[in-house]
PDB file of all heavy atoms in Angstrom:
ATOM      1  N   GLY A  26      16.937  -5.655   9.742  1.00  0.00           N
ATOM      2  CA  GLY A  26      15.990  -4.589  10.061  1.00  0.00           C
ATOM      3  C   GLY A  26      15.620  -3.737   8.864  1.00  0.00           C
ATOM      4  O   GLY A  26      14.827  -2.808   8.985  1.00  0.00           O
ATOM      5  N   LEU A  27      16.193  -4.027   7.690  1.00  0.00           N
ATOM      6  CA  LEU A  27      15.886  -3.257   6.485  1.00  0.00           C
ATOM      7  C   LEU A  27      14.484  -3.582   5.987  1.00  0.00           C
ATOM      8  O   LEU A  27      13.883  -4.593   6.350  1.00  0.00           O
ATOM      9  CB  LEU A  27      16.916  -3.547   5.403  1.00  0.00           C
ATOM     10  CG  LEU A  27      18.328  -3.032   5.691  1.00  0.00           C
ATOM     11  CD1 LEU A  27      19.343  -3.686   4.762  1.00  0.00           C
ATOM     12  CD2 LEU A  27      18.393  -1.517   5.567  1.00  0.00           C
ATOM     13  N   ALA A  28      13.955  -2.701   5.148  1.00  0.00           N
ATOM     14  CA  ALA A  28      12.585  -2.844   4.657  1.00  0.00           C
ATOM     15  C   ALA A  28      12.525  -3.842   3.512  1.00  0.00           C
ATOM     16  O   ALA A  28      13.358  -3.812   2.602  1.00  0.00           O
ATOM     17  CB  ALA A  28      12.052  -1.490   4.197  1.00  0.00           C
ATOM     18  N   ARG A  29      11.525  -4.681   3.544  1.00  0.00           N
ATOM     19  CA  ARG A  29      11.297  -5.581   2.420  1.00  0.00           C
ATOM     20  C   ARG A  29      10.824  -4.780   1.217  1.00  0.00           C
ATOM     21  O   ARG A  29      10.178  -3.736   1.358  1.00  0.00           O
ATOM     22  CB  ARG A  29      10.265  -6.637   2.789  1.00  0.00           C
ATOM     23  CG  ARG A  29      10.701  -7.493   3.979  1.00  0.00           C
ATOM     24  CD  ARG A  29       9.735  -8.624   4.229  1.00  0.00           C
ATOM     25  NE  ARG A  29      10.069  -9.361   5.433  1.00  0.00           N
ATOM     26  CZ  ARG A  29      10.992 -10.308   5.524  1.00  0.00           C
ATOM     27  NH1 ARG A  29      11.691 -10.635   4.444  1.00  0.00           N
ATOM     28  NH2 ARG A  29      11.223 -10.937   6.659  1.00  0.00           N
ATOM     29  N   ASP A  30      11.155  -5.280   0.047  1.00  0.00           N
ATOM     30  CA  ASP A  30      10.719  -4.612  -1.177  1.00  0.00           C
ATOM     31  C   ASP A  30       9.203  -4.615  -1.281  1.00  0.00           C
ATOM     32  O   ASP A  30       8.594  -3.599  -1.596  1.00  0.00           O
ATOM     33  CB  ASP A  30      11.324  -5.310  -2.392  1.00  0.00           C
ATOM     34  CG  ASP A  30      10.882  -4.690  -3.697  1.00  0.00           C
ATOM     35  OD1 ASP A  30      11.122  -3.484  -3.889  1.00  0.00           O
ATOM     36  OD2 ASP A  30      10.289  -5.409  -4.525  1.00  0.00           O
ATOM     37  N   ARG A  31       8.589  -5.769  -1.027  1.00  0.00           N
ATOM     38  CA  ARG A  31       7.137  -5.878  -0.982  1.00  0.00           C
ATOM     39  C   ARG A  31       6.762  -7.044  -0.077  1.00  0.00           C
ATOM     40  O   ARG A  31       7.601  -7.860   0.286  1.00  0.00           O
ATOM     41  CB  ARG A  31       6.528  -6.036  -2.373  1.00  0.00           C
ATOM     42  CG  ARG A  31       6.869  -7.308  -3.117  1.00  0.00           C
ATOM     43  CD  ARG A  31       5.990  -7.478  -4.362  1.00  0.00           C
ATOM     44  NE  ARG A  31       6.121  -6.374  -5.304  1.00  0.00           N
ATOM     45  CZ  ARG A  31       5.075  -5.750  -5.872  1.00  0.00           C
ATOM     46  NH1 ARG A  31       3.848  -6.120  -5.580  1.00  0.00           N
ATOM     47  NH2 ARG A  31       5.271  -4.779  -6.748  1.00  0.00           N
ATOM     48  N   LEU A  32       5.489  -7.095   0.263  1.00  0.00           N
ATOM     49  CA  LEU A  32       5.029  -8.062   1.243  1.00  0.00           C
ATOM     50  C   LEU A  32       3.613  -8.479   0.891  1.00  0.00           C
ATOM     51  O   LEU A  32       2.767  -7.633   0.584  1.00  0.00           O
ATOM     52  CB  LEU A  32       5.063  -7.423   2.637  1.00  0.00           C
ATOM     53  CG  LEU A  32       4.630  -8.251   3.839  1.00  0.00           C
ATOM     54  CD1 LEU A  32       5.633  -9.375   4.100  1.00  0.00           C
ATOM     55  CD2 LEU A  32       4.537  -7.337   5.069  1.00  0.00           C
ATOM     56  N   THR A  33       3.365  -9.787   0.912  1.00  0.00           N
ATOM     57  CA  THR A  33       2.019 -10.323   0.817  1.00  0.00           C
ATOM     58  C   THR A  33       1.751 -11.083   2.108  1.00  0.00           C
ATOM     59  O   THR A  33       2.427 -12.083   2.392  1.00  0.00           O
ATOM     60  CB  THR A  33       1.876 -11.279  -0.386  1.00  0.00           C
ATOM     61  OG1 THR A  33       2.284 -10.609  -1.571  1.00  0.00           O
ATOM     62  CG2 THR A  33       0.430 -11.730  -0.542  1.00  0.00           C
ATOM     63  N   ILE A  34       0.819 -10.577   2.907  1.00  0.00           N
ATOM     64  CA  ILE A  34       0.547 -11.201   4.197  1.00  0.00           C
ATOM     65  C   ILE A  34       0.109 -12.647   3.974  1.00  0.00           C
ATOM     66  O   ILE A  34      -0.753 -12.944   3.153  1.00  0.00           O
ATOM     67  CB  ILE A  34      -0.539 -10.427   4.962  1.00  0.00           C
ATOM     68  CG1 ILE A  34      -0.100  -8.970   5.191  1.00  0.00           C
ATOM     69  CG2 ILE A  34      -0.841 -11.103   6.303  1.00  0.00           C
ATOM     70  CD1 ILE A  34       1.139  -8.804   6.024  1.00  0.00           C
ATOM     71  N   GLY A  35       0.720 -13.558   4.719  1.00  0.00           N
ATOM     72  CA  GLY A  35       0.369 -14.970   4.613  1.00  0.00           C
ATOM     73  C   GLY A  35       1.232 -15.746   3.651  1.00  0.00           C
ATOM     74  O   GLY A  35       1.255 -16.980   3.693  1.00  0.00           O
ATOM     75  N   ALA A  36       1.940 -15.046   2.765  1.00  0.00           N
ATOM     76  CA  ALA A  36       2.832 -15.712   1.817  1.00  0.00           C
ATOM     77  C   ALA A  36       4.244 -15.783   2.403  1.00  0.00           C
ATOM     78  O   ALA A  36       4.634 -14.930   3.198  1.00  0.00           O
ATOM     79  CB  ALA A  36       2.850 -14.964   0.492  1.00  0.00           C
ATOM     80  N   PRO A  37       5.035 -16.772   2.025  1.00  0.00           N
ATOM     81  CA  PRO A  37       6.411 -16.855   2.534  1.00  0.00           C
ATOM     82  C   PRO A  37       7.204 -15.602   2.164  1.00  0.00           C
ATOM     83  O   PRO A  37       7.130 -15.113   1.035  1.00  0.00           O
ATOM     84  CB  PRO A  37       6.974 -18.091   1.826  1.00  0.00           C
ATOM     85  CG  PRO A  37       5.772 -18.881   1.406  1.00  0.00           C
ATOM     86  CD  PRO A  37       4.701 -17.887   1.112  1.00  0.00           C
ATOM     87  N   ALA A  38       7.949 -15.073   3.114  1.00  0.00           N
ATOM     88  CA  ALA A  38       8.775 -13.892   2.871  1.00  0.00           C
ATOM     89  C   ALA A  38      10.173 -14.328   2.466  1.00  0.00           C
ATOM     90  O   ALA A  38      10.721 -15.296   3.000  1.00  0.00           O
ATOM     91  CB  ALA A  38       8.836 -13.022   4.123  1.00  0.00           C
ATOM     92  N   ASP A  39      10.752 -13.605   1.500  1.00  0.00           N
ATOM     93  CA  ASP A  39      12.116 -13.911   1.091  1.00  0.00           C
ATOM     94  C   ASP A  39      13.078 -12.937   1.770  1.00  0.00           C
ATOM     95  O   ASP A  39      12.686 -12.158   2.646  1.00  0.00           O
ATOM     96  CB  ASP A  39      12.259 -13.881  -0.432  1.00  0.00           C
ATOM     97  CG  ASP A  39      11.868 -12.536  -1.040  1.00  0.00           C
ATOM     98  OD1 ASP A  39      11.912 -11.503  -0.313  1.00  0.00           O
ATOM     99  OD2 ASP A  39      11.522 -12.496  -2.235  1.00  0.00           O
ATOM    100  N   ASP A  40      14.334 -12.983   1.363  1.00  0.00           N
ATOM    101  CA  ASP A  40      15.363 -12.151   2.001  1.00  0.00           C
ATOM    102  C   ASP A  40      15.610 -10.840   1.255  1.00  0.00           C
ATOM    103  O   ASP A  40      16.526 -10.093   1.615  1.00  0.00           O
ATOM    104  CB  ASP A  40      16.685 -12.925   2.093  1.00  0.00           C
ATOM    105  CG  ASP A  40      16.707 -13.894   3.268  1.00  0.00           C
ATOM    106  OD1 ASP A  40      16.206 -13.522   4.338  1.00  0.00           O
ATOM    107  OD2 ASP A  40      17.225 -15.017   3.096  1.00  0.00           O
ATOM    108  N   ARG A  41      14.827 -10.554   0.230  1.00  0.00           N
ATOM    109  CA  ARG A  41      15.074  -9.352  -0.565  1.00  0.00           C
ATOM    110  C   ARG A  41      14.618  -8.096   0.177  1.00  0.00           C
ATOM    111  O   ARG A  41      13.472  -7.982   0.571  1.00  0.00           O
ATOM    112  CB  ARG A  41      14.354  -9.455  -1.909  1.00  0.00           C
ATOM    113  CG  ARG A  41      14.686  -8.307  -2.854  1.00  0.00           C
ATOM    114  CD  ARG A  41      14.051  -8.535  -4.212  1.00  0.00           C
ATOM    115  NE  ARG A  41      12.596  -8.405  -4.173  1.00  0.00           N
ATOM    116  CZ  ARG A  41      11.799  -8.723  -5.177  1.00  0.00           C
ATOM    117  NH1 ARG A  41      12.304  -9.225  -6.294  1.00  0.00           N
ATOM    118  NH2 ARG A  41      10.497  -8.575  -5.065  1.00  0.00           N
ATOM    119  N   VAL A  42      15.554  -7.170   0.360  1.00  0.00           N
ATOM    120  CA  VAL A  42      15.229  -5.878   0.979  1.00  0.00           C
ATOM    121  C   VAL A  42      15.559  -4.769  -0.008  1.00  0.00           C
ATOM    122  O   VAL A  42      16.380  -4.932  -0.917  1.00  0.00           O
ATOM    123  CB  VAL A  42      15.988  -5.673   2.307  1.00  0.00           C
ATOM    124  CG1 VAL A  42      15.537  -6.683   3.348  1.00  0.00           C
ATOM    125  CG2 VAL A  42      17.496  -5.763   2.102  1.00  0.00           C
ATOM    126  N   ALA A  43      14.885  -3.639   0.171  1.00  0.00           N
ATOM    127  CA  ALA A  43      15.000  -2.516  -0.758  1.00  0.00           C
ATOM    128  C   ALA A  43      15.698  -1.354  -0.064  1.00  0.00           C
ATOM    129  O   ALA A  43      15.279  -0.924   1.014  1.00  0.00           O
ATOM    130  CB  ALA A  43      13.622  -2.093  -1.251  1.00  0.00           C
ATOM    131  N   ILE A  44      16.738  -0.834  -0.701  1.00  0.00           N
ATOM    132  CA  ILE A  44      17.553   0.217  -0.088  1.00  0.00           C
ATOM    133  C   ILE A  44      16.777   1.535   0.041  1.00  0.00           C
ATOM    134  O   ILE A  44      16.754   2.161   1.100  1.00  0.00           O
ATOM    135  CB  ILE A  44      18.850   0.403  -0.894  1.00  0.00           C
ATOM    136  CG1 ILE A  44      19.778  -0.792  -0.666  1.00  0.00           C
ATOM    137  CG2 ILE A  44      19.557   1.701  -0.511  1.00  0.00           C
ATOM    138  CD1 ILE A  44      20.200  -0.978   0.786  1.00  0.00           C
ATOM    139  N   GLY A  45      16.127   1.981  -1.027  1.00  0.00           N
ATOM    140  CA  GLY A  45      15.388   3.242  -0.955  1.00  0.00           C
ATOM    141  C   GLY A  45      14.251   3.175   0.037  1.00  0.00           C
ATOM    142  O   GLY A  45      14.048   4.098   0.849  1.00  0.00           O
ATOM    143  N   ALA A  46      13.483   2.089   0.016  1.00  0.00           N
ATOM    144  CA  ALA A  46      12.372   1.934   0.956  1.00  0.00           C
ATOM    145  C   ALA A  46      12.870   1.883   2.395  1.00  0.00           C
ATOM    146  O   ALA A  46      12.163   2.293   3.321  1.00  0.00           O
ATOM    147  CB  ALA A  46      11.587   0.678   0.621  1.00  0.00           C
ATOM    148  N   SER A  47      14.088   1.394   2.598  1.00  0.00           N
ATOM    149  CA  SER A  47      14.643   1.343   3.955  1.00  0.00           C
ATOM    150  C   SER A  47      14.923   2.738   4.506  1.00  0.00           C
ATOM    151  O   SER A  47      14.778   2.980   5.706  1.00  0.00           O
ATOM    152  CB  SER A  47      15.917   0.494   3.965  1.00  0.00           C
ATOM    153  OG  SER A  47      15.619  -0.855   3.639  1.00  0.00           O
ATOM    154  N   GLY A  48      15.330   3.657   3.627  1.00  0.00           N
ATOM    155  CA  GLY A  48      15.467   5.041   4.071  1.00  0.00           C
ATOM    156  C   GLY A  48      14.139   5.634   4.477  1.00  0.00           C
ATOM    157  O   GLY A  48      14.024   6.343   5.490  1.00  0.00           O
ATOM    158  N   MET A  49      13.096   5.344   3.683  1.00  0.00           N
ATOM    159  CA  MET A  49      11.756   5.832   4.019  1.00  0.00           C
ATOM    160  C   MET A  49      11.246   5.178   5.289  1.00  0.00           C
ATOM    161  O   MET A  49      10.582   5.818   6.113  1.00  0.00           O
ATOM    162  CB  MET A  49      10.821   5.567   2.846  1.00  0.00           C
ATOM    163  CG  MET A  49      11.231   6.298   1.575  1.00  0.00           C
ATOM    164  SD  MET A  49      10.167   5.878   0.176  1.00  0.00           S
ATOM    165  CE  MET A  49      11.043   6.726  -1.166  1.00  0.00           C
TER     166      MET A  49
END
């Protein structure tokens, strides 16, 4: 449920999540 670091719609998503962005 954590926030992804960045996202490109339509592109494959990886497992990288960002701690600071998850707080936001």
Side-chain angles (χ1 to χ4, degrees):
L27 292 165
R29 300 186 186 279
D30 178 58
R31 65 169 59 227
L32 180 68
T33 305
I34 301 298
D39 58 23
D40 280 320
R41 186 174 70 189
V42 295
I44 288 299
S47 295
M49 298 176 187

